[in-house]
Amino acid sequence: MHASTERLYQAAKQMRDVSGQSAVARLLNESPQTVKNWETRGVSRAGAMTAETVIGVRAAWLLTGEGSMSSGATSPVVINQTHAVMESEDLVRIPLLANCGSMGPGNEMLDADYVVGDLALSSHWINQHIRPGNIRELKFIHAHGESMAPTFSSGDVLLVDVGSRDPSSIEGVYVLEVRGQLYIKRVRVRMDGAMEVSSDNINIKTVDVLNGDHQLNVLGRVVWAWNGKKL
């Protein structure tokens, strides 16, 4: 059996008291055949992200075995499950997208923003700490890679304001699409008007200056991380 699938079964049993191929498939809303295929090929990236939402296991740990099984981070996010979320007028459900941003060489962008789940936030908390122009323009995505450490860690879930797409108005960390690849990078506009894109990790820090020749699409600004860091 593939090591990533063994880790999936371990996490499902330990964290949700669910065991067996069929039961894990039902838990993740996947077909039994898909989970059976994972036993040979390994858990897919989308499957790992779904497991992170439903089970609470870190997607990066599932896929690589590196780091801890769960983040253990304190966060205002509540996992959207019927037994874990108290229905309240104060709760706002934010979609979790299958697309994920790379803090490294880039991840291929899916042909559409598939929703693999949602997370619930308090509207009071959103208005107090995030203050978006429109709550409906908030989305969750996963981040993978090490180039933005220590700001983010691989596997962190990031809250993105897709209504904030102008780095010249607000400098910060943005989700970028370049030639069909998704990136998470720090963006600032220089005095000469050129856009500077950089990483936070001092060990692998890279800086690119975009002079208009690059085809760049700014998809949104990262406003909060699963690890409790506001940007």
Side-chain angles (χ1 to χ4, degrees):
M1 183 182 295
H2 197 280
S4 64
T5 312
E6 289 184 346
R7 288 190 288 270
L8 172 64
Y9 288 156
Q10 176 190 346
K13 177 61 177 177
Q14 182 173 326
M15 303 177 73
R16 290 290 178 264
D17 196 25
V18 172
S19 58
Q21 181 189 104
S22 297
V24 171
R26 286 195 300 271
L27 179 66
L28 300 180
N29 196 28
E30 296 281 1
S31 70
Q33 184 61 49
T34 294
V35 176
K36 182 179 180 180
N37 291 341
W38 289 348
E39 293 183 353
T40 302
R41 305 171 186 171
V43 179
S44 67
R45 188 178 68 186
M49 292 188 293
T50 300
E52 180 165 288
T53 303
V54 174
I55 299 175
V57 61
R58 291 182 64 244
W61 179 83
L62 273 182
L63 296 174
T64 68
E66 298 176 356
S68 60
M69 178 186 293
S70 61
S71 65
T74 301
S75 170
V77 177
V78 181
I79 297 176
N80 177 25
Q81 295 186 30
T82 55
H83 62 273
V85 174
M86 295 293 292
E87 291 295 337
S88 167
E89 293 181 358
D90 184 53
L91 285 181
V92 177
R93 301 195 179 279
I94 310 295
L96 174 65
L97 304 181
N99 270 317
C100 62
S102 172
M103 302 181 291
N107 285 329
E108 290 187 4
M109 187 174 181
L110 301 178
D111 57 357
D113 276 333
Y114 298 106
V115 175
V116 297
D118 59 60
L119 304 174
L121 294 177
S122 161
S123 60
H124 174 76
W125 182 89
I126 292 173
N127 291 323
Q128 183 177 21
H129 295 279
I130 306 300
R131 300 187 182 124
N134 186 343
I135 287 182
R136 295 182 181 275
E137 293 183 321
L138 294 177
K139 313 290 182 185
F140 279 113
I141 66 166
H142 287 80
H144 292 283
E146 305 297 336
S147 71
M148 289 300 291
T151 308
F152 308 132
S153 299
S154 186
D156 280 349
V157 177
L158 307 180
L159 182 61
V160 178
D161 184 353
V162 300
S164 180
R165 302 189 179 193
D166 185 6
S168 64
S169 298
I170 304 177
E171 294 183 358
V173 178
Y174 284 82
V175 180
L176 309 173
E177 178 194 357
V178 182
R179 295 187 297 274
Q181 301 283 319
L182 286 183
Y183 297 86
I184 298 172
K185 298 293 181 183
R186 189 169 298 280
V187 182
R188 76 178 187 93
V189 177
R190 306 195 320 178
M191 294 183 66
D192 61 4
M195 189 178 297
E196 183 179 286
V197 178
S198 63
S199 303
D200 284 1
N201 191 330
I202 61 174
N203 296 317
I204 53 176
K205 189 173 181 67
T206 58
V207 177
D208 292 314
V209 178
L210 308 183
N211 57 11
D213 295 335
H214 301 73
Q215 290 187 340
L216 174 70
N217 187 16
V218 180
L219 301 181
R221 181 170 58 90
V222 179
V223 293
W224 197 277
W226 180 272
N227 55 24
K229 293 181 180 178
K230 180 180 180 182
L231 280 83

